């Protein structure tokens, strides 16, 4: 499908701001953390130096405590709310005060596999930064080896039903009046509700007022939830970071201990009542009871064997386009509302990497084809309706274009999977 390849490359070029890429103009006019990693993989198909630059710009925003922010506000743009003043980030660049799923080490390894030996200087410079970032997760987000978030935006799954119970316990008091900008770009019923936004801003306020004092946030915030996106991507990222260290001739036993802790911690996310991985609310000790697309990242993390296989086959069999972000059998499923149902192409890519490595090559390939079909049907949208593949959310989206180029397109040269450890 060369036409789609051309369109995808054009989207990357249009969203390129010079050294970094915005997810889409208007709705998301800044640099987002995991979006940039996917963007780098799209660039890697035709421009390896540009791929490295994307990642290096992301790490230029790393805080002194190791945290790599979820948004870097390189150039102020009023089309987005909440901007840099609302966040009051304390890093070297204007930024948000929270992080995002740490997929970078995994894809840096994949880039290096593609760019040996020239990429070595990049890897040598990035490895210590990755170690500092991963250590930050242990210091401030770890609960017995499961990785928590202090804000839903940190997981990248902003309004999944996983947050419904923890949010019900929050009274968002004392937030300033605000005007959302997202609903001027995208239909309201494809975005989070105002109820959620009030709580998002309340949690930002707690962080900002403490000047992002992690010790304070950890003890005082009403929101602390262990999450499969974070736990599974960090576990996987540590395996790849260890492989990078070994390739540089620098074995690292701290990373080995992280891998052991995370593998054990993943067990805390297993909910026997539904037979699935889900979120665990640290404040109440309750599981969310939601089978999400993040639950299916267990293979990507290399945990759980085939525990998720029954749900995987059931859910993929229930929709025309998978993997829906929420199980269609769940009462909170909404097929067009953001992370409460729609299909996200880049999540499918991560799930397929895990499936292929676990020996489910046919399922991985079927998911790739299904994702190619949804993009051919709905274009390079932010996300898609699982029932008919119609586009939803933002359009001309960087990570959908990148996922097409690096994985879903039949012409991809790319890294179908990063090499497994
Ligand atoms: C939304 C998504 C998040 C993504 C960001 C930019 O907040 O939920 O995962 O990183 O948009 O695309």
């Amino acid at each position: 499908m060369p036409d789609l390849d051309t369109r995808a490359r054009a989207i990357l070029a249009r969203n390129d701001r010079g050294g970094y890429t915005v997810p889409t103009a208007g709705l998301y006019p800044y640099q987002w953390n995991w979006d940039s990693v996917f963007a780098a993989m799209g660039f890697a198909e035709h421009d390896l130096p540009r791929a490295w630059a994307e990642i290096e710009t992301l790490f230029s925003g790393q805080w002194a405590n190791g945290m790599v922010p979820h948004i870097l506000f390189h150039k102020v743009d009023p089309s987005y709310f909440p901007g840099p003043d609302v966040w009051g980030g304390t890093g070297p660049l204007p930024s948000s005060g929270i992080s995002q799923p740490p997929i970078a080490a995994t894809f840096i390894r994949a880039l290096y596999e593609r760019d040996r030996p020239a990429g070595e200087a990049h890897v040598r410079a990035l490895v210590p930064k990755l170690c500092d970032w991963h250590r930050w997760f242990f210091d401030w987000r770890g609960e017995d080896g499961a990785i928590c978030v202090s804000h839903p935006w940190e997981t990248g799954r902003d309004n999944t039903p996983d947050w419904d119970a923890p949010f019900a316990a929050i009274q968002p008091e004392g937030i300033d009046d605000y005007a959302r900008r997202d609903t001027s770009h995208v239909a309201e019923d494809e975005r989070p509700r105002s109820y959620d936004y009030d709580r998002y801003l309340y949690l930002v306020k707690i962080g900002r007022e403490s000047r992002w004092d992690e010790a304070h946030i950890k003890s005082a915030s009403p929101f602390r939830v262990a999450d499969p996106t974070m736990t599974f991507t960090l576990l996987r990222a540590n395996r790849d970071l260890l492989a990078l260290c070994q390739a540089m001739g620098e074995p690292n036993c701290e990373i080995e201990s992280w891998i052991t802790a995370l593998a054990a911690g993943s067990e805390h996310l297993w909910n026997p009542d539904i037979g699935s991985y889900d979120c665990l609310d640290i404040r109440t000790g309750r599981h969310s009871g939601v089978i999400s697309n993040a639950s299916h990242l267990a293979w990507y993390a290399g945990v759980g064997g085939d525990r998720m296989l029954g749900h995987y086959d059931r859910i993929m069999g229930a929709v025309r386009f998978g993997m829906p972000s929420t199980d269609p059998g769940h009462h909170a499923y909404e097929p067009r509302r953001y992370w409460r149902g729609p299909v996200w192409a880049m999540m499918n890519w991560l799930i397929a990497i895990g499936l292929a490595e676990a020996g489910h090559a046919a399922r991985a390939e079927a998911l790739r084809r299904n994702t190619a079909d949804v993009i051919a049907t709905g274009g390079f949208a932010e996300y898609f309706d699982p029932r008919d593949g119609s586009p939803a959310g933002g359009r001309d989206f960087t990570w959908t274009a990148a996922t097409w180029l690096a994985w879903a397109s039949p012409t991809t040269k790319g890294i179908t999977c990063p090499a497994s450890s």
Side-chain angles (χ1 to χ4, degrees):
M1 293 180 223
D3 177 47
L4 285 173
D5 291 354
T6 310
R7 280 174 55 198
R9 274 196 295 273
I11 288 170
L12 288 190
R14 246 197 332 276
N15 290 339
D16 186 351
R17 295 292 177 271
Y20 73 95
T21 313
V22 300
T24 187
L27 183 63
Y28 300 120
Y30 297 112
Q31 183 176 21
W32 261 259
N33 186 319
W34 67 333
D35 298 65
S36 260
V37 177
F38 289 113
M41 300 319 289
F43 283 121
E45 289 292 303
H46 55 280
D47 187 348
L48 281 164
R50 180 63 188 77
W52 287 113
E54 184 80 27
I55 306 238
E56 282 156 356
T57 307
L58 175 65
F59 278 85
S60 72
Q62 184 167 34
W63 288 19
N65 65 2
M67 197 271 284
V68 182
H70 102 292
I71 309 174
L72 298 180
F73 301 108
H74 293 288
K75 253 193 333 206
V76 173
D77 185 325
S79 62
Y80 182 80
F81 174 86
D85 46 330
V86 180
W87 282 98
T90 60
L93 300 177
S95 76
S96 68
I98 58 170
S99 199
Q100 252 192 338
I103 61 168
T106 296
F107 288 97
I108 288 170
R109 182 179 179 200
L111 271 183
Y112 181 51
E113 295 292 330
R114 182 83 172 270
D115 193 20
R116 285 173 102 131
E120 186 175 327
H122 297 287
V123 174
R124 285 200 183 277
L126 285 164
V127 159
K129 298 178 186 185
L130 288 163
C131 287
D132 290 348
W133 185 26
H134 291 191
R135 193 176 302 107
W136 175 87
F137 279 108
F138 274 88
D139 288 348
W140 301 116
R141 297 289 186 269
E143 286 287 343
D144 223 0
I147 301 298
C148 302
V149 289
S150 63
H151 194 295
W153 287 341
E154 206 157 43
T155 64
R157 303 188 300 121
D158 303 14
N159 68 335
T160 165
D162 284 299
W163 322 132
D164 289 0
F167 265 20
I170 294 178
Q171 294 308 321
E173 278 153 7
I175 47 171
D176 297 334
D177 288 344
Y178 66 94
R180 285 174 67 171
R181 308 277 156 75
D182 58 321
T183 42
S184 61
H185 301 286
V186 170
E188 240 178 271
D189 59 0
E190 296 174 9
R191 294 288 305 174
R193 298 185 161 84
S194 294
Y195 170 92
D196 296 311
Y197 250 80
D198 289 350
R199 284 157 181 80
Y200 299 149
L201 291 170
Y202 179 68
L203 296 176
V204 170
K205 175 174 134 69
I206 291 176
R208 183 189 61 239
E209 287 180 353
S210 76
R211 291 194 51 75
W212 301 101
D213 172 350
E214 293 293 350
H216 170 81
I217 295 167
K218 183 173 174 178
S219 64
S221 171
F223 189 88
R224 188 167 175 83
V225 182
D227 166 75
T229 333
M230 305 314 270
T231 306
F232 291 156
T233 58
L234 186 63
L235 174 48
R236 171 55 188 254
N238 277 319
R239 297 191 204 282
D240 292 309
L241 182 55
L242 184 61
L244 284 172
C245 289
Q246 283 159 348
M248 299 297 114
E250 292 168 10
N252 185 315
C253 48
E254 187 183 16
I255 303 174
E256 283 173 18
S257 73
W258 291 341
I259 292 170
T260 309
L262 285 158
S266 300
E267 275 305 294
H268 302 308
L269 301 179
W270 181 256
N271 178 350
D273 294 343
I274 56 170
S276 174
Y277 293 100
D278 67 1
C279 285
L280 177 67
D281 186 340
I282 299 299
R283 298 293 182 235
T284 62
R286 292 208 190 100
H287 281 273
S288 63
V290 179
I291 304 171
S292 68
N293 48 357
S295 307
H296 298 283
L297 293 178
W299 287 292
Y300 175 85
V303 295
D306 282 337
R307 269 171 155 182
M308 291 300 301
L309 203 59
H311 287 304
Y312 182 87
D313 288 344
R314 172 182 61 79
I315 294 172
M316 289 301 286
V319 289
R320 180 158 160 224
F321 295 105
M323 168 55 75
S325 38
T326 299
D327 180 351
H330 192 277
H331 63 86
Y333 172 69
E334 292 180 82
R336 294 191 67 80
R337 198 184 287 280
Y338 213 34
W339 288 93
R340 299 178 79 86
V343 174
W344 295 74
M346 79 323 155
M347 288 295 281
N348 285 357
W349 185 12
L350 301 183
I351 294 168
I353 288 171
L355 282 170
E357 288 174 357
H360 299 300
R363 285 183 180 82
E365 176 59 10
L367 187 56
R368 188 191 69 74
R369 283 170 185 270
N370 194 241
T371 308
D373 282 354
V374 86
I375 292 173
T377 306
F380 294 98
E382 186 180 7
Y383 43 90
F384 305 89
D385 188 324
R387 297 167 299 185
D388 58 6
S390 55
R395 300 299 195 270
D396 293 343
F397 221 83
T398 292
W399 66 16
T400 310
T403 297
W404 173 266
L405 289 170
W407 173 59
S409 168
T411 64
T412 189
K413 309 197 274 285
I415 306 128
T416 312
C417 294
S420 49
S421 310

